[in-house]
């Protein structure tokens, strides 16, 4: 698969509010966990669009002055997740373009699975691309569509793309929000003042005091026009395949995603894990922050005390950000440290949400053993991650996924744990009240939908 750069990201859109770009900024701030590499906002004042985007965290990219230049009552924003090796500013979003109908900006969370075919076909007809982003395909499809109105062009364009997309479009006077027919990635609608807000996660609404209205349905396009209620267009019949990994790792615990609170889902996974994979021990210790809710669930179900015996230094980014293995190793050490007096002589159960390459677990277990733990048992609140995601979660290629290349026993030896056990896929689905038919579990099963 060719490089594509619209992976785990956050999107936001604010419509008909006098502080549109400021609210978009705050929303992006709440959604920073979905992407730390780049951030951007486009706003519109009816006459033109204004765009600022740059590498770095939301607070680095924007300040009062910059936000003041993002005029108008509508704004869309994006935070982008890191991808191996490339940090070109061209690959930050929103993607802005001028075309025959005027100006437009697009933000995208997800990953288009037919991006290369669409791009090749467009290039064969003379299109010139500036970035590696599959989102740029949409710009071309919209610009080249034979339809007269932007709305019809958007419908035309999304019918030519496949895969995962939660999209927000901004024109000079309107905003559009669209979710793919599978609803892989979340996208919710809220009310703020007399206007509207759409965002990848509801934690953004809580920050700006917006009221949650509903999730945008899979296959639904919402059209926002001044002084009108949003118009809903069912472009595709919904066939939900929500991403289970949003619950496992990606979304923020205080968000309601796919209609359910993420923290509670993670706690349920911990309860299920304690039932399915019990172990005799003195302490339950989470890998912060991801493992915390599951560890609380595991502790409550097993009766083994919970302790925050691994501390996290919050002043560095996620370990995945660095492209080289050496930097990732170093970052784990910088990020996590044990409370030796809690751990010494104890049989510890360490809980994390997932093992990807195995680097984090190996480091943590070594750290706990160095701190004097008598035994370290690793429990993972999801199944082995055996397959890469093509729908918007930034997982490495199969050859780097430890569970694709080693058995559980081999992984246990590699990470130097006294035991290792994962939550089964069935128990995972049960703990979030999901079924195989409405959730995508391809990263655990290899069963891809598109
Ligand atoms: P690894 O060291 O490669 O096994 O990574 C496992 C750690 O990364 C766990 O602590 C997870 O919480 C976290 N993690 C899982 N999936 C992702 C992802 N797609 N991006 C960043 N971190 C992740």
């Amino acid at each position: 698969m060719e490089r594509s750069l619209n992976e785990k990201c956050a999107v936001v859109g604010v419509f008909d509010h006098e502080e549109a770009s400021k609210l978009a900024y705050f929303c992006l701030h709440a959604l920073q966990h979905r992407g730390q590499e780049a951030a951007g906002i486009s706003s519109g004042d009816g006459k033109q669009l204004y765009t600022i985007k740059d590498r770095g965290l939301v607070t680095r990219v924007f300040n009062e002055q910059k936000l003041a230049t993002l005029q108008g009552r509508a704004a869309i924003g994006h935070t982008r997740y890191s991808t191996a090796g490339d940090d070109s500013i061209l690959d930050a979003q929103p993607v802005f373009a001028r075309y025959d109908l005027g100006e437009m900006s697009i933000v995208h969370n997800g990953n288009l699975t037919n991006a290369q075919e669409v791009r090749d076909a467009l290039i064969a007809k003379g299109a010139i691309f500036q970035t590696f982003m599959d989102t740029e395909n949409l710009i071309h499809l919209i610009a080249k569509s034979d339809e007269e109105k932007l709305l019809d062009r958007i419908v035309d364009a999304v019918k030519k793309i496949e895969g995962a997309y939660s999209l927000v479009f901004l024109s000079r006077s309107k905003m559009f929000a669209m979710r793919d027919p599978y609803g892989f990635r979340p996208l919710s609608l809220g009310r703020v003042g007399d206007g509207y807000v759409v965002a990848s996660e509801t934690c953004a609404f809580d920050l700006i005091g917006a009221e949650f209205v509903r999730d945008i349905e899979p296959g639904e396009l919402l059209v926002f026009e001044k002084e009108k209620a949003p118009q809903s267009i069912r472009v595709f019949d919904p066939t939900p395949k929500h991403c289970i990994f949003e619950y496992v790792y990606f979304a923020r615990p205080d968000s309601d995603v796919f209609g359910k609170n993420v923290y509670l889902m993670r706690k349920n996974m911990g309860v299920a894990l304690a039932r399915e994979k019990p172990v005799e021990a003195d302490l339950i210790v989470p890998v912060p922050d991801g493992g915390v809710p599951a560890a609380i669930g595991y502790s409550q179900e097993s009766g083994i005390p919970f302790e925050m015996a691994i501390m996290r230094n919050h002043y560095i980014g996620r370990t995945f950000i660095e492209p080289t293995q050496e930097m990732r190793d170093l970052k784990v050490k910088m990020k996590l440290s044990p409370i030796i007096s809690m751990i010494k002589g104890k049989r510890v159960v360490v809980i994390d949400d997932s093992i990807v390459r195995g680097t984090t677990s190996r480091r943590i277990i070594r750290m706990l053993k160095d701190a004097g733990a008598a035994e370290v048992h690793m429990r993972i609140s999801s199944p082995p991650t055996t397959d890469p995601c093509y729908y918007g979660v930034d997982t490495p290629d199969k050859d780097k996924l430890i569970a694709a290349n080693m058995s559980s026993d081999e992984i246990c030896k590699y990470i130097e744990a006294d035991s290792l056990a994962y939550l089964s896929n069935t128990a995972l689905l049960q703990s979030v009240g999901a079924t195989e038919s409405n959730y995508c579990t391809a990263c655990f099963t290899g069963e891809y939908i598109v």
Side-chain angles (χ1 to χ4, degrees), residues 8 81 245 249 287 318 320 352-361 393-395:
K8 311 178 8 163
Y81 201 75
F245 209 69
Y249 166 79
V287 176
R318 285 183 175 183
F320 253 65
D352 203 354
D353 54 77
S354 53
I355 297 180
V356 182
R357 296 174 170 90
T359 319
T360 311
S361 317
V393 170
D394 183 25
T395 33

Side-chain angles (χ1 to χ4, degrees), residues 405-420:
N405 301 291
M406 287 189 197
S407 69
S408 273
D409 283 348
E410 287 167 336
I411 299 174
C412 185
K413 282 203 191 87
Y414 173 78
I415 63 175
E416 297 168 3
D418 292 287
S419 77
L420 163 69

Side-chain angles (χ1 to χ4, degrees), residues 320-352:
F320 253 65
I321 294 172
E322 302 300 337
T324 65
Q325 191 63 38
E326 294 74 42
M327 278 309 292
R328 269 197 298 271
D329 287 352
L330 182 67
K331 271 204 151 180
V332 176
K333 274 202 229 161
M334 284 166 67
K335 193 161 116 177
L336 300 169
S337 51
I339 303 181
I340 295 171
S341 57
M342 298 292 319
I343 286 159
K344 208 166 181 179
K346 301 276 173 46
R347 295 169 301 167
V348 179
V349 184
V350 191
I351 307 224
D352 203 354

